[in-house]
Structure formats: structure tokens, C-alpha cells
Amino acid sequence: MTVKMIKNAAGRMIPQEINGEVVIPFEGLGVHKPKAYKYNSRISVNCEYPLNGDKRIGSLKETLIKAGLRDGMIISTHHHFRNGDLVANKVFDIANELGVKDLIWFPSASFPCHEHLIPYLEDGTIAGIEGSMNGPLGKFCSEGKMKRTAVLRSHGGRYQALQDGEVKVDIAVIGAASADPFGNANGLEGQSASGLLGFALGDAQFADKVIVVTDNMVPFPCIPWQIQGNYVDFTVEMDKIGIPEKIISGTTQVTKSPDRLHIAELTAKFCDEVGIIKDGFSFQAGAGGTSLAIGNYFAQIMKSKGVKARFARGGSNQYLVKMLEDGLVDYILDGQTFDLEGVRSMRENPNHVWTSPFTSYNYHGKGNFASMIDVVVLGATEVDLDFNANVVTHSDGYLLHGIGGWQNCLFGKTVILPIPLFRNRIPIIRDKVTTLCGPGELIDVIVTERGIAINPLRKDLIEKLKGSKLPIKTLEELKEEAEEICGIPEEIEVTDEIVAAIKWVDGTVLDVVYRVCVE
């Protein structure tokens, strides 16, 4: 069947329909407006909930049956357990055992541990995935093996899809490190502590049926509650919902690579010279080795200048927690906790605040934190000469990463991508990115080990660095340097079969991913 294609405002060809539904093409930044009112969940009014508040069911299998699990449903889970998640895998084990087919999985993200689900994609238990994928699932999708077209959204875009009714979850399964029989839950205590449950908030609010699963059932009330029991239909205990050593990364460490450390130092010096690092500023950086090094350089500059940040956006980790406890940061506004120090700090320190995609990233709300941040430090797999960036596919076309909060963070006041000039002798700067995930208008600075490129749209930054000793170059110059070292990479071979769609933060379609050619 011929797929009708149209060109969106980013110049990308996209299909008019995805999975049988008409799509809205990307119309440009800030152009698409949502409906005036939001979709909301259908709250049961038949008063069947126990008056004693005890919503416990004997097993997850019995709970899924009671929740009405059947063919074609949309099932959501969250990724706070990261590569130690046991809940999502168990849900689909049960679905397969019951003979349920054509389910759509709506995770906030997937991890390599979810390779366990590939047989269920092959036998039709799961028809497709609407959520960021990485590792084996991304490879499976890229090779055209998934029945439905995958749909990838940012963390904020996922919440937008729930509240706008674009995705209507039938059953949400929320794994919680601690919960009470009524359904109040948090991620702060217990053997499976993950820090917070913000990615599950939208699922609790908007799904038709909500199940809270825990391996640490405590007497009512479970305090503090990050998930409120009034949204929850059923609670259930499992022996183990997560593998602790894989939930929290014990290896989050500052990079030791000389090139990456140089990139981090250049990034911090840039921020200092343009006047970003000053009393009361705000910043966001990730938990990768280069980002952690940037945070350390920030701390050194802040101490030398005697300034402190008003807030830092997390993912939190031991280094960010130290900045908070050393008085360099007033508040951590945390979206995801990456190590045990982050969990401890969130549990003990009232200035370490858990957040959710609603407060941090939701584009169709009444504002969010992302646009208030002075400087945001992000990564990318590719950048092109128009400052467009890619975070989901590699230059070989394989879908191996999720979007996460990356798109949402592009609305920060200054967005910097510190990236190596090449990886595995493949240049990162291309004429055109393989997959468009973020428009170049929102990306301000590219920092590499061989120089810094400033988006020509940011004339204010260019003016501030006149006479600077920093290695300021154009993207064209950096691209030429990379190609002199590595050569010009060959074009990838893909078919005309679309395997995934990339949504923008407003629910429109920004780009698509094509099936790779497999020898």
C-alpha cells in the first residue's frame, strides 16, 4: 500500500497517517495550539472501592484480570527502575500466559532489560511500542520487525499526549518502592528505592485503571506520597519489583577522557565568559561523564566568584548533591535520581524537591520549569550545519536511544551541546542529521574538543565573546576538520518503510525513522 507523504515545516517528509490515525505535521515552533480543554480520566462512580481503604489484590495476575485486561489495550509502565525493572516484564509475561494479543506498550522509557519482551513482539502479544526505546528494542524496531509503527515522544510530550487525550491508557501499572494498601506510594524507602515516581504521575491521573505494585507494603499512610491513592484502583505485592544494583547506577563518574575533560572545561569557561555563571543563576546538566565534569567546573568557578545558583535541575547524583550541601545551590528540582546519594538527599533534605514532567516539561500546560533555566547542557548523536540535532539514531540509522527530556530542555535560555567532533572515527557534524529531533533555532552552542560554534541567531553571545581567547569557530570549519581526520562518511542505506515517528513537544510529527537495510 502506498503511503501518502507530506512535507512538514521542518522540511521533512512524513506520512499523513500513522497506525491508521491522521497525524498533525510539525508546523513550526509555537504554531500548533492544543484544544481548549484537556482530556481527563473516567473516574469510577459505582462506589465499589472498599470502605476500609484496603485495595489489595492477591496477585498481579488476578489484578490484571480484575482490571479487565483484554486484546488491543494500551498498557503503560514507567522507567524509574531503569535497567533493574521487573514489573513491565512481569506484566507481559502474564498477558502472554492469558493469551492476550495486540497490546500496545506505552512506557516512559525502555532499557536493555526489556529485551525480555522481544518474543512477545514476535508472537503478537505486543503489537507495538509508543515510547522511547534503546538497546535491543530499538534495534528490533529499526530492522522493521515491529507490527506497528513506533511513536517516540519526549518526557513532556508523553504527559502532553495523556492530558490531551492523544493516548488513552487502559491500564497503568506503577511500581513503587513503598506503598500502602490504599495506593499512596513513593520511591524513597525500601529495597527498590528509585528516588521519585514523577514519570508515573500522568499515568495515575489519566489511565482508566491504575495498579500500584510494591515489594514494601507499609501501613496507611505511606508518607510522603508521590502517587496519591485516590487515583489508584488496585494495589498488589510482589516479592521483588526491581534489582537494586541495576536501579541505581553506582558507576556514575566524571569522565577521565582528556578530550571529554577539555570539552567540559571549554563549556564551563564559555558560560563564565558570557556572564551566565552569576549569583542566582540556574542550570541543568545530565549524569553522563562529560556533564558531571562540567558540573565540577561550574562548582570551581562558583566558589572562586563567591556566587551560588538558585536552583539546579536534575537528574540528581552525588556531585549535584554535594553542591547543594556545600551551599552552592539553593534547591535541586529533581526529575530522576541516578545514585544512592541522590535518593538519600531527596529523602532527607527538603531543598531536594521531586518533580514530574507536568511541572518540568509539559508544553500544553500553563508554563513549565524548562523555559526558566539559564543554561542547559545536553548531548546529541549528530548535529548538522543548521544546528539541528539528533538524539535517537546513530549515523548508521539504528534507533538506539530515547528522547527523554531532551526536546523539552531545548526551551532553556541558553542550550549547549558539548559533543566530541567524532565517535568511532565517524564525524558528528553532518550536512543533514539522520533523524531530526530538535530544531536548530533552539540550539545555541556546540562545544567540541577542537572548538566552539555559536548559532548565528545568538548575536548576543557572539558579541560578548569578541576578543575572547576561546577557540570560536563555525560549524563548517569544525565539520571540515573532522572530515580531514576521518574522511567523509558514506550515506546510510535505508528502505522506504517507516518504522518509527518522532513527535515534537506539542504532539505534531517532526520526523520519521526508516527501516535499515540488513545484509
Side-chain angles (χ1 to χ4, degrees):
M1 184 177 68
T2 303
V3 178
K4 293 183 179 179
M5 304 290 285
I6 53 176
K7 183 182 288 189
N8 66 16
R12 297 280 172 145
M13 298 301 295
I14 65 166
Q16 288 185 326
E17 293 186 2
I18 294 174
N19 295 323
E21 296 183 5
V22 176
V23 305
I24 302 172
F26 175 70
E27 298 172 354
L29 296 176
V31 176
H32 177 65
K33 304 298 181 185
K35 295 177 182 178
Y37 294 97
K38 310 293 191 298
Y39 167 84
N40 211 327
S41 56
R42 294 175 290 178
I43 301 296
S44 298
V45 293
N46 58 6
C47 301
E48 64 182 18
Y49 296 100
L51 296 179
N52 66 358
D54 190 343
K55 302 175 185 176
R56 284 178 291 183
I57 305 295
S59 68
L60 182 57
K61 179 179 178 180
E62 185 183 349
T63 308
L64 288 168
I65 292 171
K66 193 171 180 63
L69 180 66
R70 62 183 182 275
D71 292 355
M73 278 188 158
I74 297 178
I75 310 298
S76 75
T77 64
H78 62 82
H79 74 281
H80 290 292
F81 300 135
R82 288 185 283 280
N83 203 33
D85 180 26
L86 298 176
V87 174
N89 288 344
K90 183 66 174 176
V91 167
F92 291 104
D93 285 346
I94 292 168
N96 179 261
E97 179 187 343
L98 294 173
V100 178
K101 296 290 185 180
D102 291 327
L103 297 172
I104 299 169
W105 185 31
F106 186 63
S108 56
S110 68
F111 280 79
C113 65
H114 296 120
E115 184 177 8
H116 177 86
L117 301 180
I118 287 178
Y120 302 148
L121 285 158
E122 292 173 331
D123 70 12
T125 302
I126 304 171
I129 300 173
E130 293 206 10
S132 289
M133 293 179 288
N134 60 33
L137 288 175
K139 184 175 185 291
F140 183 87
C141 177
S142 294
E143 294 179 351
K145 298 176 182 178
M146 199 175 293
K147 182 176 178 180
R148 288 170 55 93
T149 302
V151 180
L152 279 72
R153 298 176 177 86
S154 65
H155 289 325
R158 184 177 186 273
Y159 194 97
Q160 165 268 317
L162 287 166
Q163 73 162 23
D164 290 0
E166 180 184 319
V167 175
K168 298 180 180 179
V169 171
D170 295 295
I171 301 174
V173 184
I174 300 173
S178 290
D180 62 36
F182 183 65
N184 300 311
N186 70 49
L188 297 175
E189 306 281 356
Q191 66 172 339
S192 302
S194 61
L196 72 160
L197 297 176
F199 290 117
L201 179 65
D203 306 74
Q205 292 172 324
F206 298 113
D208 281 351
K209 295 294 182 183
V210 178
I211 300 168
V212 165
V213 185
T214 188
D215 53 15
N216 183 37
M217 190 72 76
V218 301
F220 178 90
C222 178
I223 300 294
W225 51 57
Q226 297 168 333
I227 297 297
Q228 197 167 330
N230 300 77
Y231 289 118
V232 176
D233 294 274
F234 309 108
T235 58
V236 63
E237 294 179 74
M238 280 176 54
D239 290 337
K240 195 173 186 180
I241 59 175
I243 302 171
E245 58 270 24
K246 294 183 178 181
I247 293 172
I248 298 298
S249 173
T251 59
T252 303
Q253 298 293 332
V254 173
T255 181
K256 294 181 180 179
S257 161
D259 281 349
R260 302 296 196 274
L261 285 170
H262 183 53
I263 291 171
E265 186 176 15
L266 285 177
T267 302
K269 285 182 175 178
F270 174 89
C271 292
D272 190 27
E273 286 199 29
V274 298
I276 290 173
I277 301 177
K278 59 185 180 182
D279 211 37
F281 85 109
S282 56
F283 66 92
Q284 177 165 356
T290 304
S291 295
L292 293 174
I294 291 168
N296 279 355
Y297 282 119
F298 272 18
Q300 292 173 19
I301 293 169
M302 292 164 70
K303 287 177 182 177
S304 69
K305 298 178 72 167
V307 302
K308 66 189 303 188
R310 178 59 176 167
F311 69 91
R313 272 285 296 146
S316 68
N317 53 70
Q318 59 182 312
Y319 304 100
L320 193 56
V321 167
K322 189 173 190 306
M323 291 180 75
L324 176 67
E325 294 178 347
D326 286 350
L328 293 175
V329 176
D330 284 335
Y331 296 93
I332 296 174
L333 305 181
D334 201 345
Q336 187 169 183
T337 317
F338 287 106
D339 61 22
L340 292 173
E341 274 295 278
V343 176
R344 177 197 62 77
S345 174
M346 182 177 290
R347 187 167 55 238
E348 297 174 359
N349 193 333
N351 285 17
H352 189 152
V353 183
W354 65 74
T355 69
S356 75
F358 178 72
T359 55
S360 304
Y361 295 146
N362 180 29
Y363 189 67
H364 284 175
K366 298 180 180 180
N368 59 62
F369 298 161
S371 61
M372 300 165 63
I373 301 172
D374 291 310
V375 61
V376 179
V377 178
L378 304 169
T381 57
E382 296 177 329
V383 175
D384 69 25
L385 295 177
D386 293 318
F387 282 77
N388 300 310
N390 174 18
V391 293
V392 298
T393 55
H394 284 222
S395 297
D396 60 5
Y398 271 91
L399 180 66
L400 295 178
H401 298 284
I403 297 173
W406 186 90
Q407 286 181 336
N408 312 110
C409 293
L410 296 181
F411 290 88
K413 295 175 185 176
T414 298
V415 176
I416 302 176
L417 307 186
I419 56 176
L421 201 58
F422 48 86
R423 294 189 184 97
N424 300 320
R425 298 197 66 79
I426 299 175
I428 298 303
I429 302 170
R430 317 300 293 265
D431 289 323
K432 183 180 178 181
V433 290
T434 303
T435 307
L436 176 60
C437 298
E441 300 100 305
L442 295 177
I443 296 168
D444 302 302
V445 185
I446 308 297
V447 181
T448 75
E449 68 275 23
R450 291 174 178 264
I452 301 171
I454 303 172
N455 193 321
L457 295 174
R458 290 301 304 267
K459 293 181 173 57
D460 58 326
L461 297 177
I462 295 170
E463 183 66 28
K464 287 177 181 178
L465 287 177
K466 281 185 177 179
S468 171
K469 293 182 180 179
L470 290 172
I472 306 301
K473 300 180 180 180
T474 65
L475 274 184
E476 287 82 0
E477 289 171 334
L478 291 172
K479 179 174 180 289
E480 287 175 10
E481 286 189 42
E483 291 175 352
E484 285 176 8
I485 297 168
C486 304
I488 298 174
E490 295 182 4
E491 292 292 321
I492 62 170
E493 290 188 34
V494 295
T495 71
D496 59 1
E497 179 186 344
I498 295 168
V499 297
I502 309 300
K503 289 289 188 92
W504 182 233
V505 299
D506 57 6
T508 60
V509 176
L510 184 59
D511 204 357
V512 294
V513 179
Y514 292 91
R515 178 169 66 84
V516 297
C517 294
V518 181
E519 294 181 0

